[in-house]
Amino acid sequence: MRFPEASLIVDHFDEPELDFRHDQRSHHPKDGLFLYGPHDGPRKLREVRIGVVGTSDGIGHFRSWSRRLLSGIPVPPPGPTEKKDRLHLADFAGLEETFGITFDPDRLRSLTVEFDAIERATRVQNMHEAVDAVARIYTERVHKFRRNEEGSIDVWMFVVPEIVYERCRPESRRTGLTLVAGKTPKKQRARSPQSFLFMDERFDPRIEDVFDDIPDFRRHIKATLLSIAPSQILRESTLEPTAFLNSAGYPKRTTQDPATVAWNIATGLYYKTQDRPPWRLSNVREGVCYIGMVYKNLPNNRDNHVCCAAQMFLSEGDGVVFRGANGPWKTGKYEYHLNADAAKELLETVIEAYRDLHSEPPKELFIHGQASFNDEEWQAFCQAAPKGTNVVGVRIRPTGGDAKLFRAGDYPVIRGTALSLDEKNAYLWTSGYVPQLDTYIGPETPNPLMVTILRSKHRQPEMRTVLSDIMGLTKINYNSCNFNDGLPVTVRFAKMVGDILVMGSAREGGPQPFKYYI
């Protein structure tokens, strides 16, 4: 229904439906999985092979949690100020009953790392070296296992103590720690003169490479595992928050309720171990392909070069990441543009992969990003696409407080509301009050996305088509089991993918499944 007001049009899009087993549909992933099971899921119970790397305590926490994951976890009773009917929460019925997969917690491939070794590594004076050393403690156990043991692993779980989270991220300050000398190489003296006082001349030459990477444990692990298997990083305090109490006897950190944590871990586990995602979008137009453009500055690059990549998503919901050429693509504070050769090569690679899957090129190819397209790269995109493929460039940007829409009642604007400015520009509220859940999960009045149709090769699609697609793409985050995200998957994970691609161990190789990056 549309409500004209002056020259603006307020519109609303119904909640996209999702496909599950037996051709059944639901708006909510949890409802669909609980009632029907995963779309195209295994007909018989399937055992997944899990490898767990952690301290002895961490592995113990994972085993205990695994038993709860298999048996099921109820939603805790509501607090005194909460509604009795909390529709955004759902009991977790158990991994076998919900997803049709299982594993034996007592037969996990468990690889133990020493907490003391991790603690010592986090104290190395040079931050790059410290994070690399901690990551190597974990990844070298995986490499040793692969050299000496038979059998493959479907997914690797890295269970980390809190000190890894606290000390091994770019924003970590390590305040109050007594730092120790590392093995900083000679060439690093010029980069970090202050590290000279902590120098140990008996350094490992391999360590020089770590100074071209961001000191982030998660990125190190993900980049290293790209050539091995999908991975998942879990904090010990997520699995057993009551084991980490403050002086007042309360958990040191607030976590989601156990049932919600179980839904999220189980969804990621299924997605990363099976051939097809647990659900897919219903009513997707045939022959449509979505691409999310990713740009990321290369660390320590004096030529100001940028890594470019494309995330391709299909109607099935699954994705593939393609790495493009590095180059001087940054042309402004928030603007990135490929030259003709790089743009053409990247899109040809994407279309070739689509053709391999579907035996023909896409009919429509939507390029989503937060930057615009200049004439050179757009012409190259159009040249790379076959004659019958309509290429459409769409810019999607979160907004601040520049646009607000209010409605009567206790809750804010309904999710799916759109405000069309003209045939090429519209605001879309992907967050807001959800009638199916009878709530709005957010701290304040929701802000919309600004959606702009920038260019089209043949014909410009209707704005309603573009907005409807974006609504659907907010429901295929397989790293959790939420009702929806605020950003479409083509934009939601762009930074995360870019962060991993610029790491040294990720700079070579062909297209990789999207599940390896999240």
Side-chain angles (χ1 to χ4, degrees), residues 270-305:
Y270 182 91
Y271 175 53
K272 293 177 180 181
T273 60
Q274 305 303 305
D275 295 333
R276 294 286 185 270
W279 63 83
R280 71 174 188 178
L281 291 172
S282 307
N283 303 319
V284 174
R285 301 186 312 284
E286 183 180 355
V288 178
C289 172
Y290 306 97
I291 296 175
M293 295 294 293
V294 180
Y295 292 95
K296 190 69 178 178
N297 295 332
L298 294 173
N300 297 330
N301 194 309
R302 297 178 181 177
D303 296 328
N304 198 30
H305 275 207

mmCIF file of all heavy atoms in Angstrom, residues 270-305:
data_model
loop_
_atom_site.group_PDB
_atom_site.id
_atom_site.type_symbol
_atom_site.label_atom_id
_atom_site.label_comp_id
_atom_site.label_asym_id
_atom_site.label_seq_id
_atom_site.Cartn_x
_atom_site.Cartn_y
_atom_site.Cartn_z
ATOM 1 N N TYR A 270 26.370 -25.786 11.025
ATOM 2 C CA TYR A 270 25.720 -26.424 9.873
ATOM 3 C C TYR A 270 26.213 -25.798 8.565
ATOM 4 O O TYR A 270 26.577 -26.508 7.623
ATOM 5 C CB TYR A 270 24.200 -26.288 9.982
ATOM 6 C CG TYR A 270 23.458 -26.964 8.847
ATOM 7 C CD1 TYR A 270 23.040 -28.282 8.963
ATOM 8 C CD2 TYR A 270 23.193 -26.291 7.653
ATOM 9 C CE1 TYR A 270 22.372 -28.917 7.920
ATOM 10 C CE2 TYR A 270 22.532 -26.905 6.612
ATOM 11 C CZ TYR A 270 22.124 -28.219 6.743
ATOM 12 O OH TYR A 270 21.482 -28.840 5.705
ATOM 13 N N TYR A 271 26.204 -24.483 8.504
ATOM 14 C CA TYR A 271 26.593 -23.783 7.272
ATOM 15 C C TYR A 271 28.019 -24.122 6.858
ATOM 16 O O TYR A 271 28.301 -24.311 5.667
ATOM 17 C CB TYR A 271 26.442 -22.281 7.493
ATOM 18 C CG TYR A 271 26.927 -21.416 6.351
ATOM 19 C CD1 TYR A 271 26.480 -21.626 5.051
ATOM 20 C CD2 TYR A 271 27.839 -20.384 6.576
ATOM 21 C CE1 TYR A 271 26.914 -20.826 4.003
ATOM 22 C CE2 TYR A 271 28.281 -19.581 5.537
ATOM 23 C CZ TYR A 271 27.825 -19.806 4.257
ATOM 24 O OH TYR A 271 28.264 -19.016 3.221
ATOM 25 N N LYS A 272 28.907 -24.249 7.828
ATOM 26 C CA LYS A 272 30.320 -24.450 7.511
ATOM 27 C C LYS A 272 30.689 -25.908 7.260
ATOM 28 O O LYS A 272 31.816 -26.184 6.826
ATOM 29 C CB LYS A 272 31.182 -23.877 8.643
ATOM 30 C CG LYS A 272 31.079 -22.358 8.741
ATOM 31 C CD LYS A 272 31.869 -21.788 9.896
ATOM 32 C CE LYS A 272 31.714 -20.272 9.937
ATOM 33 N NZ LYS A 272 32.484 -19.638 11.030
ATOM 34 N N THR A 273 29.750 -26.832 7.500
ATOM 35 C CA THR A 273 30.067 -28.251 7.298
ATOM 36 C C THR A 273 29.229 -28.918 6.219
ATOM 37 O O THR A 273 29.525 -30.057 5.841
ATOM 38 C CB THR A 273 29.873 -29.034 8.612
ATOM 39 O OG1 THR A 273 28.501 -28.927 9.042
ATOM 40 C CG2 THR A 273 30.794 -28.513 9.707
ATOM 41 N N GLN A 274 28.199 -28.230 5.699
ATOM 42 C CA GLN A 274 27.310 -28.844 4.714
ATOM 43 C C GLN A 274 27.441 -28.158 3.355
ATOM 44 O O GLN A 274 27.951 -27.053 3.242
ATOM 45 C CB GLN A 274 25.864 -28.785 5.203
ATOM 46 C CG GLN A 274 25.652 -29.406 6.569
ATOM 47 C CD GLN A 274 26.088 -30.853 6.641
ATOM 48 O OE1 GLN A 274 25.641 -31.694 5.859
ATOM 49 N NE2 GLN A 274 26.985 -31.168 7.578
ATOM 50 N N ASP A 275 26.945 -28.846 2.328
ATOM 51 C CA ASP A 275 27.072 -28.332 0.964
ATOM 52 C C ASP A 275 26.143 -27.164 0.684
ATOM 53 O O ASP A 275 26.448 -26.314 -0.163
ATOM 54 C CB ASP A 275 26.776 -29.455 -0.047
ATOM 55 C CG ASP A 275 27.805 -30.571 0.011
ATOM 56 O OD1 ASP A 275 28.959 -30.282 0.403
ATOM 57 O OD2 ASP A 275 27.460 -31.720 -0.314
ATOM 58 N N ARG A 276 25.000 -27.110 1.343
ATOM 59 C CA ARG A 276 24.015 -26.059 1.090
ATOM 60 C C ARG A 276 23.708 -25.317 2.389
ATOM 61 O O ARG A 276 23.754 -25.892 3.472
ATOM 62 C CB ARG A 276 22.721 -26.658 0.531
ATOM 63 C CG ARG A 276 22.872 -27.273 -0.858
ATOM 64 C CD ARG A 276 22.985 -26.188 -1.920
ATOM 65 N NE ARG A 276 23.009 -26.755 -3.262
ATOM 66 C CZ ARG A 276 24.124 -27.113 -3.911
ATOM 67 N NH1 ARG A 276 25.288 -26.958 -3.311
ATOM 68 N NH2 ARG A 276 24.067 -27.610 -5.127
ATOM 69 N N PRO A 277 23.374 -24.035 2.304
ATOM 70 C CA PRO A 277 23.010 -23.282 3.505
ATOM 71 C C PRO A 277 21.736 -23.828 4.137
ATOM 72 O O PRO A 277 20.956 -24.539 3.496
ATOM 73 C CB PRO A 277 22.803 -21.856 2.978
ATOM 74 C CG PRO A 277 23.500 -21.811 1.662
ATOM 75 C CD PRO A 277 23.381 -23.186 1.096
ATOM 76 N N PRO A 278 21.475 -23.482 5.406
ATOM 77 C CA PRO A 278 20.296 -24.031 6.092
ATOM 78 C C PRO A 278 18.964 -23.494 5.588
ATOM 79 O O PRO A 278 17.928 -24.118 5.800
ATOM 80 C CB PRO A 278 20.524 -23.632 7.558
ATOM 81 C CG PRO A 278 21.476 -22.477 7.504
ATOM 82 C CD PRO A 278 22.340 -22.716 6.311
ATOM 83 N N TRP A 279 18.952 -22.341 4.954
ATOM 84 C CA TRP A 279 17.727 -21.823 4.336
ATOM 85 C C TRP A 279 18.105 -20.987 3.121
ATOM 86 O O TRP A 279 19.272 -20.634 2.925
ATOM 87 C CB TRP A 279 16.892 -20.995 5.317
ATOM 88 C CG TRP A 279 17.568 -19.756 5.829
ATOM 89 C CD1 TRP A 279 17.638 -18.533 5.223
ATOM 90 C CD2 TRP A 279 18.295 -19.608 7.063
ATOM 91 N NE1 TRP A 279 18.356 -17.632 5.980
ATOM 92 C CE2 TRP A 279 18.757 -18.278 7.133
ATOM 93 C CE3 TRP A 279 18.584 -20.477 8.121
ATOM 94 C CZ2 TRP A 279 19.505 -17.799 8.206
ATOM 95 C CZ3 TRP A 279 19.325 -19.994 9.188
ATOM 96 C CH2 TRP A 279 19.773 -18.674 9.238
ATOM 97 N N ARG A 280 17.118 -20.693 2.288
ATOM 98 C CA ARG A 280 17.367 -19.836 1.138
ATOM 99 C C ARG A 280 16.173 -18.917 0.935
ATOM 100 O O ARG A 280 15.076 -19.157 1.457
ATOM 101 C CB ARG A 280 17.622 -20.659 -0.123
ATOM 102 C CG ARG A 280 16.406 -21.363 -0.680
ATOM 103 C CD ARG A 280 16.722 -22.032 -2.004
ATOM 104 N NE ARG A 280 15.522 -22.552 -2.641
ATOM 105 C CZ ARG A 280 15.508 -23.152 -3.832
ATOM 106 N NH1 ARG A 280 16.629 -23.318 -4.499
ATOM 107 N NH2 ARG A 280 14.369 -23.576 -4.344
ATOM 108 N N LEU A 281 16.367 -17.881 0.156
ATOM 109 C CA LEU A 281 15.301 -16.926 -0.113
ATOM 110 C C LEU A 281 14.243 -17.540 -1.022
ATOM 111 O O LEU A 281 14.559 -18.241 -1.985
ATOM 112 C CB LEU A 281 15.866 -15.674 -0.767
ATOM 113 C CG LEU A 281 16.755 -14.783 0.103
ATOM 114 C CD1 LEU A 281 17.402 -13.693 -0.740
ATOM 115 C CD2 LEU A 281 15.938 -14.169 1.226
ATOM 116 N N SER A 282 12.986 -17.246 -0.721
ATOM 117 C CA SER A 282 11.888 -17.664 -1.598
ATOM 118 C C SER A 282 11.664 -16.600 -2.678
ATOM 119 O O SER A 282 12.054 -15.447 -2.525
ATOM 120 C CB SER A 282 10.594 -17.831 -0.781
ATOM 121 O OG SER A 282 10.783 -18.678 0.316
ATOM 122 N N ASN A 283 11.035 -17.005 -3.745
ATOM 123 C CA ASN A 283 10.562 -16.067 -4.781
ATOM 124 C C ASN A 283 11.671 -15.201 -5.375
ATOM 125 O O ASN A 283 11.446 -14.045 -5.741
ATOM 126 C CB ASN A 283 9.469 -15.148 -4.208
ATOM 127 C CG ASN A 283 8.297 -15.922 -3.653
ATOM 128 O OD1 ASN A 283 7.853 -16.907 -4.251
ATOM 129 N ND2 ASN A 283 7.803 -15.502 -2.500
ATOM 130 N N VAL A 284 12.879 -15.734 -5.454
ATOM 131 C CA VAL A 284 13.961 -14.980 -6.087
ATOM 132 C C VAL A 284 13.819 -15.102 -7.602
ATOM 133 O O VAL A 284 13.550 -16.174 -8.142
ATOM 134 C CB VAL A 284 15.334 -15.515 -5.630
ATOM 135 C CG1 VAL A 284 16.465 -14.828 -6.394
ATOM 136 C CG2 VAL A 284 15.513 -15.288 -4.140
ATOM 137 N N ARG A 285 13.991 -13.994 -8.288
ATOM 138 C CA ARG A 285 13.868 -14.020 -9.744
ATOM 139 C C ARG A 285 14.965 -14.891 -10.348
ATOM 140 O O ARG A 285 16.124 -14.850 -9.923
ATOM 141 C CB ARG A 285 13.954 -12.592 -10.299
ATOM 142 C CG ARG A 285 12.877 -11.684 -9.749
ATOM 143 C CD ARG A 285 12.889 -10.311 -10.418
ATOM 144 N NE ARG A 285 14.210 -9.702 -10.483
ATOM 145 C CZ ARG A 285 14.830 -9.145 -9.452
ATOM 146 N NH1 ARG A 285 14.242 -9.143 -8.260
ATOM 147 N NH2 ARG A 285 16.015 -8.590 -9.592
ATOM 148 N N GLU A 286 14.615 -15.639 -11.359
ATOM 149 C CA GLU A 286 15.565 -16.551 -11.993
ATOM 150 C C GLU A 286 16.673 -15.764 -12.696
ATOM 151 O O GLU A 286 16.430 -14.744 -13.339
ATOM 152 C CB GLU A 286 14.830 -17.429 -13.021
ATOM 153 C CG GLU A 286 15.719 -18.468 -13.680
ATOM 154 C CD GLU A 286 14.961 -19.312 -14.682
ATOM 155 O OE1 GLU A 286 13.723 -19.146 -14.786
ATOM 156 O OE2 GLU A 286 15.603 -20.136 -15.362
ATOM 157 N N GLY A 287 17.895 -16.240 -12.551
ATOM 158 C CA GLY A 287 19.020 -15.658 -13.263
ATOM 159 C C GLY A 287 19.572 -14.385 -12.661
ATOM 160 O O GLY A 287 20.213 -13.605 -13.357
ATOM 161 N N VAL A 288 19.338 -14.166 -11.355
ATOM 162 C CA VAL A 288 19.799 -12.947 -10.705
ATOM 163 C C VAL A 288 21.037 -13.247 -9.868
ATOM 164 O O VAL A 288 21.108 -14.273 -9.185
ATOM 165 C CB VAL A 288 18.708 -12.325 -9.813
ATOM 166 C CG1 VAL A 288 19.229 -11.081 -9.117
ATOM 167 C CG2 VAL A 288 17.484 -11.996 -10.648
ATOM 168 N N CYS A 289 22.002 -12.358 -9.915
ATOM 169 C CA CYS A 289 23.253 -12.501 -9.176
ATOM 170 C C CYS A 289 23.550 -11.178 -8.477
ATOM 171 O O CYS A 289 23.349 -10.104 -9.059
ATOM 172 C CB CYS A 289 24.386 -12.868 -10.137
ATOM 173 S SG CYS A 289 26.038 -12.865 -9.436
ATOM 174 N N TYR A 290 24.005 -11.247 -7.229
ATOM 175 C CA TYR A 290 24.322 -10.040 -6.461
ATOM 176 C C TYR A 290 25.814 -10.041 -6.115
ATOM 177 O O TYR A 290 26.362 -11.066 -5.707
ATOM 178 C CB TYR A 290 23.502 -9.983 -5.174
ATOM 179 C CG TYR A 290 22.019 -10.101 -5.394
ATOM 180 C CD1 TYR A 290 21.373 -11.329 -5.261
ATOM 181 C CD2 TYR A 290 21.255 -8.990 -5.740
ATOM 182 C CE1 TYR A 290 20.017 -11.446 -5.464
ATOM 183 C CE2 TYR A 290 19.888 -9.104 -5.943
ATOM 184 C CZ TYR A 290 19.277 -10.331 -5.808
ATOM 185 O OH TYR A 290 17.921 -10.448 -6.015
ATOM 186 N N ILE A 291 26.425 -8.891 -6.271
ATOM 187 C CA ILE A 291 27.847 -8.756 -5.977
ATOM 188 C C ILE A 291 28.043 -7.622 -4.971
ATOM 189 O O ILE A 291 27.486 -6.538 -5.134
ATOM 190 C CB ILE A 291 28.663 -8.449 -7.247
ATOM 191 C CG1 ILE A 291 28.585 -9.607 -8.235
ATOM 192 C CG2 ILE A 291 30.125 -8.164 -6.903
ATOM 193 C CD1 ILE A 291 29.274 -9.318 -9.544
ATOM 194 N N GLY A 292 28.820 -7.892 -3.949
ATOM 195 C CA GLY A 292 29.223 -6.853 -3.019
ATOM 196 C C GLY A 292 30.680 -6.502 -3.253
ATOM 197 O O GLY A 292 31.550 -7.366 -3.174
ATOM 198 N N MET A 293 30.958 -5.251 -3.580
ATOM 199 C CA MET A 293 32.326 -4.812 -3.821
ATOM 200 C C MET A 293 33.026 -4.521 -2.496
ATOM 201 O O MET A 293 32.454 -3.902 -1.590
ATOM 202 C CB MET A 293 32.342 -3.565 -4.702
ATOM 203 C CG MET A 293 31.814 -3.799 -6.106
ATOM 204 S SD MET A 293 32.851 -4.917 -7.089
ATOM 205 C CE MET A 293 34.334 -3.926 -7.281
ATOM 206 N N VAL A 294 34.260 -4.957 -2.384
ATOM 207 C CA VAL A 294 35.045 -4.827 -1.165
ATOM 208 C C VAL A 294 36.357 -4.122 -1.490
ATOM 209 O O VAL A 294 37.075 -4.525 -2.401
ATOM 210 C CB VAL A 294 35.355 -6.203 -0.548
ATOM 211 C CG1 VAL A 294 36.178 -6.060 0.725
ATOM 212 C CG2 VAL A 294 34.078 -6.971 -0.278
ATOM 213 N N TYR A 295 36.669 -3.053 -0.750
ATOM 214 C CA TYR A 295 37.959 -2.374 -0.878
ATOM 215 C C TYR A 295 38.585 -2.277 0.506
ATOM 216 O O TYR A 295 37.906 -1.976 1.488
ATOM 217 C CB TYR A 295 37.792 -0.964 -1.447
ATOM 218 C CG TYR A 295 37.335 -0.925 -2.879
ATOM 219 C CD1 TYR A 295 35.984 -0.783 -3.187
ATOM 220 C CD2 TYR A 295 38.249 -1.029 -3.929
ATOM 221 C CE1 TYR A 295 35.553 -0.746 -4.506
ATOM 222 C CE2 TYR A 295 37.822 -0.992 -5.246
ATOM 223 C CZ TYR A 295 36.475 -0.848 -5.531
ATOM 224 O OH TYR A 295 36.061 -0.809 -6.833
ATOM 225 N N LYS A 296 39.886 -2.530 0.585
ATOM 226 C CA LYS A 296 40.573 -2.452 1.873
ATOM 227 C C LYS A 296 42.003 -1.976 1.659
ATOM 228 O O LYS A 296 42.731 -2.519 0.815
ATOM 229 C CB LYS A 296 40.583 -3.834 2.536
ATOM 230 C CG LYS A 296 41.064 -3.809 3.977
ATOM 231 C CD LYS A 296 40.069 -3.124 4.878
ATOM 232 C CE LYS A 296 40.519 -3.131 6.333
ATOM 233 N NZ LYS A 296 39.581 -2.438 7.216
ATOM 234 N N ASN A 297 42.403 -0.956 2.407
ATOM 235 C CA ASN A 297 43.774 -0.464 2.322
ATOM 236 C C ASN A 297 44.742 -1.540 2.791
ATOM 237 O O ASN A 297 44.525 -2.197 3.811
ATOM 238 C CB ASN A 297 43.951 0.784 3.189
ATOM 239 C CG ASN A 297 43.120 1.954 2.693
ATOM 240 O OD1 ASN A 297 42.831 2.054 1.506
ATOM 241 N ND2 ASN A 297 42.737 2.838 3.595
ATOM 242 N N LEU A 298 45.822 -1.711 2.036
ATOM 243 C CA LEU A 298 46.847 -2.659 2.429
ATOM 244 C C LEU A 298 47.687 -2.053 3.551
ATOM 245 O O LEU A 298 48.146 -0.915 3.436
ATOM 246 C CB LEU A 298 47.747 -3.017 1.246
ATOM 247 C CG LEU A 298 47.065 -3.782 0.107
ATOM 248 C CD1 LEU A 298 48.015 -3.910 -1.077
ATOM 249 C CD2 LEU A 298 46.634 -5.159 0.571
ATOM 250 N N PRO A 299 47.930 -2.775 4.635
ATOM 251 C CA PRO A 299 48.718 -2.213 5.742
ATOM 252 C C PRO A 299 50.178 -2.027 5.341
ATOM 253 O O PRO A 299 50.735 -2.802 4.555
ATOM 254 C CB PRO A 299 48.572 -3.273 6.843
ATOM 255 C CG PRO A 299 48.250 -4.534 6.122
ATOM 256 C CD PRO A 299 47.458 -4.139 4.911
ATOM 257 N N ASN A 300 50.795 -0.977 5.871
ATOM 258 C CA ASN A 300 52.216 -0.696 5.647
ATOM 259 C C ASN A 300 52.565 -0.581 4.169
ATOM 260 O O ASN A 300 53.661 -0.958 3.743
ATOM 261 C CB ASN A 300 53.096 -1.766 6.292
ATOM 262 C CG ASN A 300 52.938 -1.782 7.799
ATOM 263 O OD1 ASN A 300 52.669 -0.759 8.413
ATOM 264 N ND2 ASN A 300 53.086 -2.953 8.402
ATOM 265 N N ASN A 301 51.623 -0.086 3.369
ATOM 266 C CA ASN A 301 51.872 0.043 1.934
ATOM 267 C C ASN A 301 52.144 1.497 1.602
ATOM 268 O O ASN A 301 51.239 2.338 1.629
ATOM 269 C CB ASN A 301 50.660 -0.469 1.143
ATOM 270 C CG ASN A 301 50.992 -0.680 -0.324
ATOM 271 O OD1 ASN A 301 51.533 0.214 -0.980
ATOM 272 N ND2 ASN A 301 50.688 -1.852 -0.832
ATOM 273 N N ARG A 302 53.378 1.789 1.263
ATOM 274 C CA ARG A 302 53.762 3.177 1.014
ATOM 275 C C ARG A 302 53.187 3.724 -0.286
ATOM 276 O O ARG A 302 53.107 4.926 -0.483
ATOM 277 C CB ARG A 302 55.293 3.277 1.003
ATOM 278 C CG ARG A 302 55.927 2.902 2.352
ATOM 279 C CD ARG A 302 57.437 2.953 2.288
ATOM 280 N NE ARG A 302 58.034 2.567 3.562
ATOM 281 C CZ ARG A 302 59.337 2.473 3.758
ATOM 282 N NH1 ARG A 302 60.191 2.739 2.771
ATOM 283 N NH2 ARG A 302 59.803 2.112 4.934
ATOM 284 N N ASP A 303 52.825 2.839 -1.205
ATOM 285 C CA ASP A 303 52.251 3.293 -2.477
ATOM 286 C C ASP A 303 50.744 3.522 -2.380
ATOM 287 O O ASP A 303 50.098 3.784 -3.394
ATOM 288 C CB ASP A 303 52.537 2.257 -3.571
ATOM 289 C CG ASP A 303 54.021 2.102 -3.845
ATOM 290 O OD1 ASP A 303 54.741 3.107 -3.707
ATOM 291 O OD2 ASP A 303 54.449 0.988 -4.179
ATOM 292 N N ASN A 304 50.194 3.389 -1.171
ATOM 293 C CA ASN A 304 48.761 3.610 -0.954
ATOM 294 C C ASN A 304 47.911 2.678 -1.810
ATOM 295 O O ASN A 304 46.871 3.069 -2.343
ATOM 296 C CB ASN A 304 48.389 5.076 -1.232
ATOM 297 C CG ASN A 304 47.050 5.439 -0.598
ATOM 298 O OD1 ASN A 304 46.677 4.890 0.431
ATOM 299 N ND2 ASN A 304 46.339 6.363 -1.218
ATOM 300 N N HIS A 305 48.369 1.444 -1.970
ATOM 301 C CA HIS A 305 47.618 0.475 -2.755
ATOM 302 C C HIS A 305 46.470 -0.107 -1.937
ATOM 303 O O HIS A 305 46.510 -0.134 -0.708
ATOM 304 C CB HIS A 305 48.534 -0.645 -3.246
ATOM 305 C CG HIS A 305 49.239 -0.296 -4.514
ATOM 306 N ND1 HIS A 305 49.664 -1.231 -5.418
ATOM 307 C CD2 HIS A 305 49.576 0.904 -5.038
ATOM 308 C CE1 HIS A 305 50.249 -0.629 -6.442
ATOM 309 N NE2 HIS A 305 50.205 0.658 -6.222
#
